Amino acid sequence: MLQAIEARGLAKRFGAVTAVEGVDLTLAPGEALGLLGPNGAGKSTLLSLVTGLRPADRGEIRIFGHPAGSEAARKSMGLTPQSAAFPPQITPRELIAYASARHGKRPDTDRLLTAFGLQRLIDRRMAGFSGGEVRRVALALAFCGAPRLAVVDEPTTGLDAATQEAFQSLARDYVASGGAMLLTSHHWDEIEAICDRLTMIDRGQRVLDGTLAEMRATMRINRISLVVDGAAPDWLPAPDTDGRRHLESADSDAVVTRLVREGVGFRDLLIHPLALKDILAHLRHEV
Ligand SMILES: Nc1ncnc2c1ncn2[C@@H]1O[C@H](COP(=O)(O)OP(=O)(O)OP(=O)(O)O)[C@@H](O)[C@H]1O
């Protein structure tokens, strides 16, 4: 299958700073890849190489088989950069028409307006738009004309909860209908809600790559929480502010058996697989 993104050995320096060093990246159609990493890890630089906004110093990137930055590669992708500025006299309708035309498509204005709550703003000049309103327009542009690949850098930073949810739902629909999505975010729950696979980079290097399911299967750790009535044994952690005791275990059956055997009065027992945040906290000791 032709990959949406196929990148090998990418490297980029800015003077003395090595922003990206020897990174491989693949993304298939119908897949969402979350790019994670601390501030300054090299995520935005990596995206700028993938989108062809900057040339790589070393390595090769193909977008649906075409070199990054080529006309064919650019036409196949929609993009929301980390920060975007638009001419003050332009309206969202004009921008959406322009971005859709790049893909040779009629503007799918109605769907995008509804998804990003832009109905009231569509014909207003962008001068005076709030930060969140500008961000919503920038996000809508990544999906105009149904590109085969959407690249979104910290999509929901500064957006209200309703718009964050709308974005997640649109992103899931886009991927389910065959779109490929590369996303960076500092919101782990957002990555978890949208992405099938994640790649973590740190100081320009890839330190982790895999699906959440693979990571969970490897770790086999569950998060257990319960309320204890009466005395609790020493091996249980103290209750949190929510009154529940939380612990992690590779053998939740054994924990429950022990509670019963020791006659602990417990209720509201919940057993969950580890959240992405917890998985990364564990793996960080190993990477
Ligand atoms: N134009 C530039 N000139 C000089 N250094 C740069 C430039 N762009 C990025 N860098 C440096 O490259 C490194 C990677 O930056 P990058 O913006 O890719 O990180 P990031 O992972 O996107 O960070 P954040 O989560 O803070 O957005 C940082 O050390 C940054 O200071």
Side-chain angles (χ1 to χ4, degrees):
M1 184 181 25
L2 195 57
Q3 299 285 351
I5 302 176
E6 179 111 55
R8 298 268 166 255
L10 295 182
K12 183 73 185 174
R13 292 177 72 91
F14 297 105
V17 178
T18 301
V20 173
E21 183 58 51
V23 172
D24 296 344
L25 208 63
T26 53
L27 176 63
E31 187 182 38
L33 174 66
L35 196 56
L36 287 163
N39 287 137
K43 303 180 295 296
S44 297
T45 304
L46 196 52
L47 292 198
S48 72
L49 304 183
V50 166
T51 51
L53 293 174
R54 285 198 179 97
D57 296 340
R58 285 200 315 278
E60 197 196 7
I61 319 170
R62 300 241 154 213
I63 308 295
F64 294 104
H66 304 287
S70 65
E71 181 67 6
R74 289 195 318 124
K75 278 196 161 164
S76 64
M77 74 170 74
L79 166 69
T80 299
Q82 200 174 92
S83 59
F86 299 106
Q89 73 278 16
I90 210 157
T91 68
R93 188 188 298 280
E94 288 162 347
L95 279 171
I96 287 174
Y98 165 75
S100 302
R102 285 184 58 240
H103 300 289
K105 304 262 176 61
R106 285 163 55 96
D108 38 6
T109 318
D110 287 349
R111 190 179 59 93
L112 292 167
L113 293 186
T114 310
F116 294 107
L118 291 168
Q119 295 95 329
R120 281 186 310 106
L121 303 170
I122 184 70
D123 289 313
R124 233 180 77 184
R125 287 186 303 156
M126 290 190 66
F129 270 36
S130 75
E133 289 168 347
V134 170
R135 193 74 198 141
R136 283 193 264 154
V137 173
L139 266 186
L141 291 183
F143 297 94
C144 284
R148 296 159 76 196
L149 166 65
V151 178
V152 282
D153 198 354
E154 296 188 26
T156 58
T157 302
L159 291 183
D160 57 41
T163 315
Q164 287 184 28
E165 270 182 37
F167 169 73
Q168 289 180 14
S169 153
L170 183 118
R172 281 193 297 264
D173 289 350
Y174 171 77
V175 174
S177 65
M181 178 178 281
L182 178 59
L183 167 106
T184 76
S185 178
H186 290 289
H187 298 293
W188 289 336
D189 47 351
E190 181 164 273
I191 296 255
E192 201 167 353
I194 298 172
C195 298
D196 315 288
R197 198 156 56 83
L198 53 105
T199 288
M200 187 163 188
I201 58 171
D202 197 1
R203 285 174 240 173
Q205 302 200 339
R206 193 172 79 172
V207 292
L208 187 70
D209 183 64
T211 67
L212 208 56
E214 284 163 3
M215 290 177 199
R216 284 192 175 124
T218 310
M219 300 187 65
R220 292 171 176 220
I221 294 174
N222 283 319
R223 182 168 256 271
I224 304 167
S225 83
L226 71 166
V227 177
V228 173
D229 293 323
D234 291 347
W235 57 271
L236 274 181
D240 230 333
T241 44
D242 59 2
R244 306 181 64 82
R245 294 167 194 262
H246 301 269
L247 64 157
E248 288 177 0
S249 171
D251 190 348
S252 25
D253 289 347
V255 172
V256 178
T257 307
R258 188 171 177 190
L259 286 167
V260 173
R261 198 179 57 231
E262 295 182 12
V264 179
F266 68 90
R267 60 185 163 87
D268 294 343
L269 176 83
L270 295 172
I271 301 177
H272 292 291
L274 283 188
L276 174 58
K277 177 167 154 290
D278 302 317
I279 291 178
L280 294 178
H282 276 278
L283 289 175
R284 237 174 237 171
H285 299 300
E286 296 167 21
V287 292

